[in-house]
Amino acid sequence: MKLDILAFGAHPDDVELGCGGTIAKEIAMGKLVGIIDLTRGELGTRGSAEIRDQEAAKAAKILGVSIRENLEMRDGFFQNNEAHQLQIIKMIRKYQPEIVLCNAQDDRHIDHPKGSNLVSDACFLSGLMKIQTSLDGQNQDHWRPKLVYHYIQWKNSTPDFVVDISGFEDKKQQAILAYSSQFYNPNTNEPITPIASKNFLESVHYRAQDLGRLIGVDFAEGFTVERLLAVNSLADLK
């Protein structure tokens, strides 16, 4: 299956938090979108890998993505090296996305910038013909996505562009809340973590609201880029 957009996250829930609204909007416009989780989030203080597997499947159904896979890299310990790059390359060549979305380039959790650099490097390497890969016994063709964008996570990074997600913020919130083990729940005895606070959950909403305010809409999500964006004319800019 060829996808229009492939979103990578170091952990289940990264994609939902960072760009869930954008994904929901693109799907509503007819685009084929998939999610690849690098790890199962097994080092998370709350819940378990098995619980997060179930939550990720539920969130994927809410968003309406075409595929969701987990590469089962080691949470906290995966590296941007050849072995891990080849795992990503196989996924890029399998789904041949035009656009790749990935983790923040600078963030609080060490896996986020690691995942960002790993996926970005793999996107470039995937286009090299002399790197040979196979999947399910079949040789793969080389493929390089046209665009790589990074969603914003814990830190308030300044976006290079924003996407109007008005009308899709509710679906984003539903997908986030599918991870009931991870986020604010006043009725649980689980330990409190930075992302399990009421303030964090509300901050995801008011960040989208504030980015929307800056462009004159209800809600928006921000992204950073690795290279200059190109437009055909000034009229393309809003």
Side-chain angles (χ1 to χ4, degrees):
M1 178 190 297
K2 185 185 186 312
L3 298 175
D4 298 299
I5 301 169
L6 186 56
F8 288 87
H11 314 102
D13 75 28
D14 283 355
V15 170
E16 288 84 354
L17 288 165
C19 59
T22 299
I23 286 175
K25 182 175 184 178
E26 293 288 347
I27 291 170
M29 293 191 296
K31 298 294 178 63
L32 296 178
V33 183
I35 298 175
I36 304 287
D37 300 309
L38 304 188
T39 78
R40 298 174 71 199
E42 63 270 18
L43 293 184
T45 302
R46 295 158 64 108
S48 65
E50 292 75 19
I51 289 172
R52 296 186 78 171
D53 289 345
Q54 296 169 11
E55 293 171 339
K58 182 178 178 181
K61 187 174 181 179
I62 291 169
L63 291 176
V65 296
S66 299
I67 64 97
R68 184 168 206 155
E69 294 195 37
N70 195 302
L71 298 183
E72 300 188 13
M73 297 178 181
R74 290 184 66 202
D75 190 10
F77 294 100
F78 70 85
Q79 298 294 322
N80 184 5
N81 57 23
E82 181 179 354
H84 289 88
Q85 288 165 358
L86 285 171
Q87 283 186 264
I88 303 293
I89 289 169
K90 288 181 180 181
M91 293 297 101
I92 293 169
R93 291 177 173 180
K94 178 179 180 179
Y95 293 113
Q96 300 184 343
E98 303 296 325
I99 298 172
V100 161
L101 307 177
C102 56
N103 286 100
Q105 294 171 290
D106 176 33
D107 211 43
R108 168 183 170 272
H109 196 300
I110 61 170
D111 280 354
H112 295 169
K114 274 198 301 180
S116 173
N117 292 329
L118 169 60
V119 172
S120 179
D121 289 353
C123 284
F124 177 81
L125 293 171
S126 182
L128 300 180
M129 295 178 65
K130 291 185 178 179
I131 296 178
Q132 298 180 357
T133 59
S134 62
L135 191 65
D136 299 327
Q138 299 293 320
N139 292 333
Q140 294 182 296
D141 294 329
H142 64 284
W143 182 268
R144 182 175 294 147
K146 292 184 174 67
L147 302 164
V148 179
Y149 299 139
H150 302 263
Y151 46 84
I152 294 171
Q153 299 189 259
W154 181 271
K155 292 186 177 181
N156 288 323
S157 304
T158 301
D160 294 313
F161 71 91
V162 296
V163 176
D164 177 5
I165 62 165
S166 303
F168 296 92
E169 172 67 8
D170 285 348
K171 182 162 284 191
K172 173 181 178 171
Q173 289 292 323
Q174 290 171 28
I176 291 170
L177 292 174
Y179 295 90
S180 57
S181 70
Q182 300 302 302
F183 301 115
Y184 176 69
N185 180 353
N187 300 315
T188 184
N189 293 321
E190 291 264 26
I192 296 297
T193 68
I195 67 169
S197 69
K198 184 178 181 182
N199 182 48
F200 174 77
L201 197 58
E202 291 176 346
S203 76
V204 176
H205 181 77
Y206 65 65
R207 172 188 277 168
Q209 198 167 32
D210 192 50
L211 287 174
R213 175 188 64 84
L214 293 174
I215 62 169
V217 301
D218 291 334
F219 300 100
E221 288 176 333
F223 297 84
T224 62
V225 302
E226 299 177 11
R227 59 183 177 87
L228 290 176
L229 294 171
V231 295
N232 291 322
S233 74
L234 293 177
D236 292 335
L237 297 171
K238 297 181 180 180

